Amino acid sequence: MKLTIILTSTRPGRAGKAVADWFHAHARANPAGFDITFADLQDINLPLLDEPNHPAMQQYEHEHTRRWSKIVDDSDAFIFVLPEYNYTPPSSFVNALDYLYKEWNYKPAGFVSYGGISGGIRSVETAKHMLNTLEMVPVKQQVMIPMVADHLENGTFTPTAIHEKSAQTLLETLARWASALKTMH
Ligand SMILES: Cc1cc2nc3c(=O)[nH]c(=O)nc-3n(C[C@H](O)[C@H](O)[C@H](O)COP(=O)(O)O)c2cc1C
């Protein structure tokens, strides 16, 4: 089973890179049965949705969409490394999800969220509505990182014991869902 960790912030100077690097390293050391891959929306560089057809038709006109489609289609589960902007997910996340439909269907997803005092919790709750509509299974287990800036130094994120423990619970739960849902896609 392939797990794709998706770094959703595309902002120059983003905290998300350090958080995603930590989670990626943690997941590679404790993979819970997954093959781990990594996708950075900054590199994937999708424009604002520019496909004329509904994604469920899978009639893509652009190479960037076909590349993104393959990454998502090849995955059995996802972790979104998600900040909170104005109590919601960043537009890069919404845009990347909007591009596709069937490629997301019947796959589980979890969140590593971060922000100010809320730890990105409002962003995740909003994101879950969208995942449900894409026929995904958002898992309850989550890594939440309040006051993310307090855990960063020179581009490195230093986790607490709670972050490490919740990362492991999240990976193990996601693996159970991925295994159960594999028969559906
Ligand atoms: C446009 C914008 C809106 C923000 N809104 C919130 C917010 O609603 N809640 C919060 O906890 N933090 C908010 N923040 C602070 C971010 O959580 C913090 O800057 C974080 O580092 C953003 O993730 P990034 O650096 O990976 O892009 C906001 C930051 C930006 C840039």
Side-chain angles (χ1 to χ4, degrees), residues 68-185:
W68 180 226
S69 165
K70 178 153 176 40
I71 290 169
V72 175
D73 199 39
D74 285 350
S75 306
D76 299 302
F78 306 92
I79 295 284
F80 296 103
V81 179
L82 193 80
E84 179 170 295
Y85 293 171
N86 299 311
Y87 289 21
T88 55
S91 49
S92 49
F93 167 86
V94 174
N95 189 52
L97 265 66
D98 279 343
Y99 258 92
L100 309 173
Y101 182 69
K102 288 187 175 159
E103 296 87 336
W104 297 116
N105 289 175
Y106 312 120
K107 296 179 182 175
F111 293 92
V112 174
S113 70
Y114 58 97
I117 193 69
S118 74
I121 194 165
R122 295 167 294 219
S123 176
V124 168
E125 290 307 306
T126 305
K128 282 179 176 172
H129 289 290
M130 194 171 177
L131 264 53
N132 282 331
T133 311
L134 290 166
E135 301 234 34
M136 300 177 76
V137 177
V139 302
K140 180 181 97 171
Q141 288 72 17
Q142 182 178 335
V143 180
M144 269 177 285
I145 307 169
M147 309 311 283
V148 66
D150 292 351
H151 303 277
L152 297 176
E153 202 173 344
N154 299 325
T156 300
F157 173 77
T158 304
T160 64
I162 291 172
H163 299 145
E164 297 270 12
K165 189 169 187 315
S166 52
Q168 204 47 34
T169 308
L170 171 56
L171 284 163
E172 284 165 13
T173 307
L174 199 64
R176 293 186 71 189
W177 277 105
S179 166
L181 292 171
K182 181 90 178 150
T183 55
M184 291 182 71
H185 61 86

